[in-house]
Each structure stands twice: as C-alpha cells, then as structure tokens.
C-alpha cells in the first residue's frame, strides 16, 4: 500500500536501529575497528552511518577484502566488540518513550522486526528498559539466518495474530519500506533515523521525529480517522 488513506492501526511493527534506538555511534566504531583490523581501509566511523540497518554480514562482506571462508571470523570479531562496548553506546531516541506510551494507552500491541540477531535486539531493549512493552521481538537467528526484513515482518505479524488486521510498519531505511510493501502493509518513514529522504519512497507518510509520529498515528489508534499520504 503506497497510496490512499490509512484509516486504522490495529498493531505497530518497529524497526530497531535508527527507529527506536540511536545505535549508530557504537555500530560505526565497531565496524571501523573490525575493518581496519582485517586489512580494510581506515574509515572514519561517521562515514559508515549508511551501513547501520542492513545485515552486518552483508556490510562486512562489502567493506573487507577477506576471502569468503574467513567472513564468519570477521563477523564474530565485530559482534564481540559490539557486545562488549558498542551496544552500551546506544541511546533511545528522544520522544520514543512518549510514542510507545501513546500506543500502549490505546491497547494496541507492538512488535520489533529487525535484521539484527534477535538475541542482540532483546539485549538492547533490556538495556534501555523497553522490552516489556513489546508483544514480540523478531530478528535473525544465532546462525544469522532468517534476518531478511520480509521474513521478520511476516514473523512479527504471525505473533500478533488477530491484531494484525490493520498493521503499520515504522522504519528509517528503504529496506524497511520496501519489505513492508512486499508484505502488503503500509509504512511510516522515520525521518529521524539514518535513511535519506529518497528512502521514504513507498511509505504512506513521513514523520520528522517520534513526537510527530505520535501526532500522526494517535488518532488512528482510538477512532477511525484518515492519514493522508500528502502529509509528508
């Protein structure tokens, strides 16, 4: 659904990195260190923000020159760095707690759909005292399989069961928007995250920050209303 009006939201799916949590500082520093230690170019961490969001296996394959059989070792090294240090450099985006509170007050269930390992996603949510509010958290397995965005969105919708009759996906990258479209659900583009403006193509509406998102969707959680895609 890329056009027309959204009249009701029965559940909300959230991306994690760049949508709920500002995880770029820790991710980019760990990526830069990993690439450097495995013979890649010396990247300033801030230059790697575009790689926050896609599966880390794909990112490290693109940034390093190691032979394919060595890639799992590179990924393992990155994950060890991230688990030890990078994860703790993340923070909740301002306004996210207010957005989640507004959804909770309407008794509308929420879930996380991320390409990150599910265990890491849960750890980050726990770190920031967010996990208890989510009905389900879906991400890649410990073998990094099953983390494709379409796959995790479908898994989240199955977890939400009957509540998934009028879902909305909120994400900050084109991967989120395209996957939502592939599954056949509308999406809200989180402009406060790491995506560029053109990545919003295919979303039904764009929000400049979490409080703007709350303003846009709150009426849809409590009564029939119309969200016009012209509100971008």
């Amino acid at each position: 659904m890329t056009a027309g009006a959204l009249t009701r939201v029965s559940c909300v799916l959230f991306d994690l990195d760049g949508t709920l949590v500002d995880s770029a500082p820790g991710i980019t520093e760990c990526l830069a260190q990993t690439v450097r230690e495995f013979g890649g170019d010396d990247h300033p961490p801030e230059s790697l923000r575009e790689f926050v969001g896609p599966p880390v296996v794909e990112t490290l394959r693109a940034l390093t020159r190691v032979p394919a059989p060595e890639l799992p070792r590179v990924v393992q090294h990155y994950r060890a760095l991230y688990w030890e240090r990078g994860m703790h450099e993340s923070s909740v985006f301002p306004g996210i707690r207010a957005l989640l509170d507004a959804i909770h007050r309407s008794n509308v269930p929420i879930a996380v759909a991320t390409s990150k390992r599910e265990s890491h996603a849960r750890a980050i949510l726990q770190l920031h005292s967010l996990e208890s509010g989510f009905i389900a958290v879906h991400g890649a397995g410990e073998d990094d399989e099953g983390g494709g965005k379409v796959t995790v969105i479908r898994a989240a919708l199955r977890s939400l069961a009957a509540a998934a009759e009028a879902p909305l996906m909120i994400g900050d990258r084109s991967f989120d928007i395209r996957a939502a479209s592939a599954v056949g659900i509308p999406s809200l583009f989180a402009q406060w995250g790491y995506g560029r403006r053109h990545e919003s193509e295919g979303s039904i509406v764009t929000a400049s920050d979490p409080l703007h998102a709350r303003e846009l969707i709150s009426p849809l959680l409590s009564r029939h209303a119309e969200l016009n895609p012209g509100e971008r």
Side-chain angles (χ1 to χ4, degrees):
M1 179 177 180
T2 58
L6 180 65
T7 59
R8 180 168 173 258
V9 173
S10 64
C11 65
V12 183
L13 280 59
F14 284 90
D15 174 48
L16 180 61
D17 297 319
T19 301
L20 291 170
V21 174
D22 183 4
S23 49
I27 290 176
T28 56
E29 287 182 16
C30 293
L31 282 175
Q33 182 175 338
T34 299
V35 171
R36 186 169 58 249
E37 291 181 3
F38 282 86
D41 295 333
D42 191 359
H43 296 276
E46 60 272 16
S47 71
L48 299 175
R49 284 174 64 92
E50 67 179 286
F51 294 102
V52 179
V56 70
V57 176
E58 296 177 12
T59 294
L60 289 171
R61 181 183 292 118
L63 291 174
T64 62
R65 302 185 181 94
V66 299
E70 289 293 306
L71 188 59
R73 188 164 67 93
V74 178
V75 174
Q76 184 178 18
H77 182 76
Y78 163 81
R79 287 223 166 93
L81 287 175
Y82 183 74
W83 191 260
E84 177 184 348
R85 185 182 75 238
M87 179 174 70
H88 300 279
E89 296 177 16
S90 63
S91 60
V92 179
F93 279 109
I96 281 294
R97 295 186 193 278
L99 171 59
L100 296 179
D101 286 346
I103 299 172
H104 289 152
R105 285 196 299 272
S106 297
N107 294 317
V108 168
I110 57 176
V112 170
T114 176
S115 293
K116 187 184 290 295
R117 275 189 180 180
E118 186 175 312
S119 59
H120 287 192
R122 289 184 181 277
I124 291 171
L125 292 171
Q126 289 172 354
L127 177 66
H128 297 296
S129 301
L130 291 176
E131 188 185 23
S132 62
F134 290 91
I135 296 295
V137 178
H138 289 279
E142 294 306 298
D143 58 359
D144 295 313
E145 295 297 319
K149 207 70 189 196
V150 168
T151 300
V152 295
I153 289 176
R154 284 178 172 156
L157 291 173
R158 286 194 297 271
S159 294
L160 293 165
E165 59 183 289
L168 176 68
M169 176 73 199
I170 299 181
D172 70 307
R173 299 300 308 271
S174 59
F175 317 103
D176 304 311
I177 307 307
R178 289 200 302 265
S181 295
V183 174
I185 68 173
S187 58
L188 180 151
F189 182 70
Q191 196 174 347
W192 64 86
Y194 310 132
R196 299 178 181 178
R197 183 175 291 273
H198 69 84
E199 294 188 53
S200 68
E201 184 177 354
S203 65
I204 193 171
V205 71
T206 293
S208 57
D209 57 49
L211 295 181
H212 185 206
R214 181 183 66 173
E215 176 186 329
L216 290 171
I217 71 172
S218 286
L220 309 181
L221 302 171
S222 57
R223 67 178 187 274
H224 281 288
E226 184 171 290
L227 180 60
N228 193 303
E231 293 186 65
R232 290 181 183 269

